[in-house]
Amino acid sequence: MPAPDLETVVSLAKRRGFVFPSAEIYGGFANTYDYGPLGVELKRNIREAWWRSMVLERDDVVGMDGALITNPKVWEASGHVANFNDPLVDCKRCKQRFRVDHLEEGAYGPVKRDAAGRIVCPIDGGELTEPRLFNMMFKTHVGPVEDEASIAYLPPETAQAMFINFVNVQQSMRLKLPFGIAQTRVSFRNEITPGRFIFRTLEFEQMEMEYFCKPETAERWYRYWIEERLRWYVEVLGISPQRLRLREHSKEELAHYSAGTTDIEYEFPWGWGELEGIANRTDYDLKAHSQYSGVSLTYYDEESGQHIVPYVIEPAAGLTRTLAVLLLECYTVEPDEKGDPRVVMKFRPSIAPIKVAVLPLSKNEQLRPLARKVFDLVRPHWMAQYDDTQSIGRRYRRQDEIGTPYCVTIDFESLQDEAVTIRDRDTQAQVRVPIANLLDALRERLGVCEPAPGSRRD
Ligand code: GAP
């Protein structure tokens, strides 16, 4: 099926409670979105799927959760204060400001040029200034005085918390190389380019893992993590491999810390865009923090009897960007039982925000007690929704549109035979199941998608 256009998905996301433009009643706020009831569930499920693959199912990766606002020296040592810059140009006529690389990529619309072939303002064709560097970190002040000494930064990535805690984590957990530290958290960047929905936002969630290894094994682990992460998008999230590709960065494009970076890209409606970057960060970060802090962030290698500085392979994924990809990827239009078009969000059951909808055939007082009993049976196990408004056909359509894999319908016969109907979202097939067997029947169909250990429904 061809990819839907962005507007169709943005409209569904708002209408069905996934993603809302932030502060809409005040005219919105550029590149900022709020996540609604289904958006938070979808986000939680993507995060849990990532955590399951990266931490729960592995022996060599542990998790952590670092502070958002921390000592600004972290960002000086990491190179972000000096290097986390993007070149910006201003239009001399309309005074709008643009990122040069995004202008060249066509992120502001078709690239316009003057007679000499120079790029001009995409809005009014005006002449642009020479590029000037602009730091993308948000600054704030800690304490009662707003001066240079009280500056702190909102984190533009999660990674540094793992580097500065390398020794704490390694020693407290008695870890041996190779091992990884994983973290999911919000990051902030002062993005000035219109973000194409939640693809590029000021505030976004990342899922990052720093994999520490011996320097001579770094290339092998770099290749391993590229394959492993690509596999995850296809096998765990169900993204079609045709819409994914790997792109290795050229030497000129590499970040200041990287000896090699490969992006996993997705084919968005506007073209290929980064979904995750896998970088060989070498020993750059541990060395930089050791030098800047004066505290040695090394590892005692029992084999060689030496202290070494491990290399780091970093798979860095965008959680909110993955959510955008899933909304685009799972949007499907196909015929319903009568041949009329129906919209179905074909989320994998483990990712779907609502797993089971409990629907009494009608809003009838006789059906209600049994329907509520069935709902109470299901809800401790899976994220479930109870809905008794409108016709059953419209309710099926609504559940299809939010991607609920199974609807459980209670009808008048249920009062006699203590059985209900399970309707499959994708095949629309319906089977009758005794209420006594309902949990087993759902468990069989929903597989391993009950919340991971440690999550709030446990
Ligand atoms: N620690 C390395 C790092 O942060 P990155 O390529 O800048 O690398 C990793 O970011 C991922 O974070 C990207 O592949 C993307 O999915 C997501 N990301 C980055 N900036 C974003 C933004 N402004 N809005 C949404 N997601 C973003």
Side-chain angles (χ1 to χ4, degrees):
M1 175 171 154
D5 58 56
L6 186 62
E7 288 68 36
T8 304
V9 167
V10 172
S11 148
L12 182 144
K14 184 178 170 201
R15 189 160 34 85
R16 292 297 183 209
F18 287 92
V19 183
F20 309 123
S22 188
E24 212 179 5
I25 59 166
Y26 294 106
F29 199 62
N31 295 344
T32 310
Y33 289 84
D34 297 331
Y35 290 82
L38 298 194
V40 286
E41 290 303 324
L42 190 53
K43 237 190 319 169
R44 190 169 70 88
N45 294 341
I46 300 168
R47 192 185 298 116
E48 275 178 11
W50 185 87
W51 197 261
R52 186 180 283 283
S53 299
M54 301 298 270
V55 182
L56 293 186
E57 291 177 354
R58 299 189 65 99
D59 294 333
D60 55 352
V61 181
V62 294
M64 71 159 284
D65 191 10
L68 284 173
I69 296 180
T70 185
N71 194 318
K73 285 183 179 160
V74 169
W75 305 108
E76 292 163 18
S78 68
H80 282 84
V81 173
N83 297 318
F84 200 56
N85 298 316
D86 276 308
L88 298 189
V89 286
D90 295 298
C91 172
K92 291 183 180 171
R93 203 184 294 160
C94 72
K95 310 294 177 210
Q96 286 283 328
R97 188 164 277 187
F98 309 98
R99 246 177 85 167
V100 175
D101 53 340
H102 290 166
L103 256 183
E104 288 163 352
E105 284 167 14
Y108 302 94
V111 180
K112 291 185 189 162
R113 294 179 188 275
D114 63 12
R118 286 179 303 237
I119 294 183
V120 293
C121 174
I123 296 169
D124 64 1
E127 193 188 337
L128 299 173
T129 60
E130 284 301 308
R132 280 173 302 117
L133 288 180
F134 161 84
N135 194 289
M136 289 178 69
M137 278 196 296
F138 282 108
K139 280 183 192 169
T140 186
H141 292 270
V142 174
V145 184
E146 291 198 5
D147 60 9
E148 280 293 305
S150 66
I151 287 179
Y153 299 94
L154 301 191
E157 62 170 15
T158 82
Q160 299 306 319
M162 276 92 91
F163 299 131
I164 59 176
N165 281 291
F166 168 72
V167 172
N168 285 337
V169 174
Q170 188 264 321
Q171 292 188 351
S172 60
M173 305 305 285
R174 295 176 294 123
L175 299 170
K176 295 214 183 318
L177 292 182
F179 70 86
I181 311 179
Q183 183 174 219
T184 69
R185 208 182 61 179
V186 67
S187 295
F188 303 85
R189 294 183 193 177
N190 195 354
E191 301 278 6
I192 64 143
T193 307
R196 285 169 169 151
F197 188 41
I198 53 169
F199 175 80
R200 186 182 296 112
T201 46
L202 300 186
E203 179 183 329
F204 53 97
E205 279 185 56
Q206 290 186 308
M207 309 181 288
E208 294 195 300
M209 197 271 288
E210 308 303 324
Y211 198 75
F212 300 91
C213 60
K214 291 189 180 176
E216 62 276 18
T217 64
E219 181 60 22
R220 180 161 59 81
W221 285 115
Y222 173 55
R223 299 285 155 203
Y224 167 87
W225 282 110
I226 293 169
E227 291 311 314
E228 181 57 20
R229 294 300 306 142
L230 185 62
R231 187 193 67 76
W232 185 77
Y233 288 105
V234 176
E235 291 181 13
V236 178
L237 296 192
I239 296 173
S240 47
Q242 297 82 350
R243 293 219 182 96
L244 290 169
R245 73 173 187 192
L246 296 174
R247 191 182 67 80
E248 192 143 16
H249 285 208
S250 65
K251 285 235 155 27
E252 301 71 53
E253 205 187 338
L254 286 177
H256 61 278
Y257 52 73
S258 175
T261 297
T262 297
D263 287 344
I264 298 176
E265 294 189 333
Y266 180 77
E267 193 176 14
F268 289 93
W270 57 88
W272 291 95
E274 179 187 337
L275 181 53
E276 167 158 356
I278 297 105
N280 176 354
R281 296 183 71 126
T282 68
D283 53 6
Y284 178 89
D285 303 273
L286 290 179
K287 270 190 173 156
H289 285 298
S290 295
Q291 276 161 15
Y292 211 69
S293 66
V295 176
S296 166
L297 298 177
T298 55
Y299 171 85
Y300 179 69
D301 179 26
E302 284 171 5
E303 264 175 45
S304 64
Q306 308 225 314
H307 285 273
I308 62 166
V309 183
Y311 267 40
V312 177
I313 308 303
E314 175 193 69
L319 167 50
T320 39
R321 200 171 280 186
T322 302
L323 194 148
V325 165
L326 281 173
L327 290 176
L328 288 160
E329 181 71 19
C330 296
Y331 183 93
T332 315
V333 184
E334 59 179 34
D336 67 8
E337 319 78 342
K338 294 190 203 131
D340 295 329
R342 65 167 189 149
V343 173
V344 192
M345 290 302 273
K346 292 207 169 173
F347 299 121
R348 287 265 167 101
S350 56
I351 301 298
I354 308 292
K355 316 291 188 204
V356 184
V358 175
L359 314 174
L361 190 63
S362 66
K363 205 175 189 168
N364 180 291
E365 282 311 311
Q366 269 180 295
L367 290 182
R368 196 180 156 77
L370 184 61
R372 290 302 304 189
K373 198 175 123 189
V374 170
F375 184 49
D376 287 342
L377 183 71
V378 170
R379 68 199 297 197
H381 302 275
W382 294 281
M383 197 68 201
Q385 204 172 66
Y386 183 89
D387 187 5
D388 62 4
T389 55
Q390 298 185 309
S391 74
I392 189 73
R394 292 184 83 136
R395 279 179 282 155
Y396 282 153
R397 286 301 89 80
R398 192 155 58 222
Q399 294 300 331
D400 289 345
E401 237 192 337
I402 62 173
T404 306
Y406 296 102
C407 292
V408 173
T409 311
I410 294 90
D411 53 28
F412 289 98
E413 236 180 286
S414 307
L415 300 174
Q416 314 304 323
D417 67 359
E418 288 271 306
V420 291
T421 303
I422 301 179
R423 174 197 182 256
D424 182 301
R425 175 194 71 194
D426 297 340
T427 63
Q428 301 176 72
Q430 305 196 6
V431 287
R432 197 91 185 148
V433 176
I435 294 172
N437 299 346
L438 180 62
L439 289 185
D440 282 344
L442 287 173
R443 217 170 262 132
E444 220 171 79
R445 288 165 173 77
L446 287 164
V448 292
C449 80
E450 284 178 77
S455 72
R456 75 181 165 88
R457 289 199 155 245
D458 235 34

